[in-house]
């Protein structure tokens, strides 16, 4: 509750104006945080992921997504990569840290053998920590 001081009267008069400046400041900070964080949390490679009823595991701060599309093309993050250039591209992205976890997103139309072939290629490149990504909730 605010009051205006007046030299004319001895009574304090209530001021009914709301100070919204702190509210606006907080909202602008939240807007900036979400504007910066939202693009970092998305991967734009369109893949129709299979459903899973497993409990979601916590994700790394800067996850590395490798997507296997229905035509067996590979997308590392948002950039297409050839199977021959996959190892060097991963080395450049992880700065040579082969202990970093990779998140493999494979389209539901990709055969199991093709997914295993890609996982073998990752293991041959030295990347043994591979997490499979699926949609939450069973169909």
């Amino acid at each position: 509750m605010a009051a205006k001081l007046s030299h004319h009267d001895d009574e304090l008069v209530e001021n009914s104006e709301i100070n919204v400046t702190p509210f606006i400041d907080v909202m602008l900070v939240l807007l900036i945080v979400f504007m910066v964080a939202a693009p970092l949390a998305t991967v734009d490679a369109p893949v129709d992921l299979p459903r899973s009823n497993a409990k979601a595991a916590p994700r790394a701060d800067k996850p590395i997504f490798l997507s296997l599309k229905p035509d067996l093309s590979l997308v590392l993050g948002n950039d297409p990569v050839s199977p021959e250039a996959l190892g060097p591209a991963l080395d450049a992205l992880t700065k040579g840290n082969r202990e970093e976890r990779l998140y493999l997103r494979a389209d539901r139309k990709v055969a199991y053998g093709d997914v295993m072939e890609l996982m073998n290629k990752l293991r041959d490149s030295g990347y043994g920590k591979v997490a499979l990504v699926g949609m939450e909730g069973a169909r």
Side-chain angles (χ1 to χ4, degrees):
M1 182 181 304
K4 285 186 179 178
L5 296 177
S6 174
H7 297 291
H8 305 300
D9 300 325
D10 270 347
E11 291 185 30
L12 294 177
V13 179
E14 289 185 16
N15 183 3
S16 61
E17 297 174 11
I18 298 173
N19 185 4
V20 295
T21 304
F23 176 71
I24 293 172
D25 291 344
V26 169
M27 294 307 292
L28 288 174
V29 168
L30 288 174
L31 176 67
I32 291 170
V33 167
F34 285 115
M35 286 174 57
V36 170
L40 300 176
T42 61
V43 176
D44 293 335
V47 176
D48 187 17
L49 296 173
R51 299 277 178 188
S52 171
N53 59 1
K55 187 176 178 183
R59 205 164 62 172
D61 292 337
K62 294 181 180 179
I64 299 173
F65 287 101
L66 177 62
S67 302
L68 182 59
K69 296 173 114 181
D71 61 354
L72 302 182
S73 63
L74 297 172
V75 179
L76 185 57
N78 291 326
D79 303 321
V81 64
S82 67
E84 298 80 24
L86 181 60
L90 283 171
D91 289 339
L93 197 60
T94 63
K95 298 178 181 75
N97 180 8
R98 295 180 189 266
E99 292 299 314
E100 190 156 351
R101 183 172 307 280
L102 304 176
Y103 292 88
L104 179 59
R105 303 170 67 234
D107 194 281
R108 73 173 62 225
K109 295 176 184 158
V110 175
Y112 181 72
D114 294 326
V115 175
M116 288 306 298
E117 185 178 321
L118 177 58
M119 290 179 68
N120 289 335
K121 187 176 290 194
L122 290 171
R123 187 174 50 245
D124 292 343
S125 296
Y127 294 94
K129 292 186 175 182
V130 178
L132 299 175
V133 179
M135 296 294 292
E136 289 185 37
R139 271 193 188 175

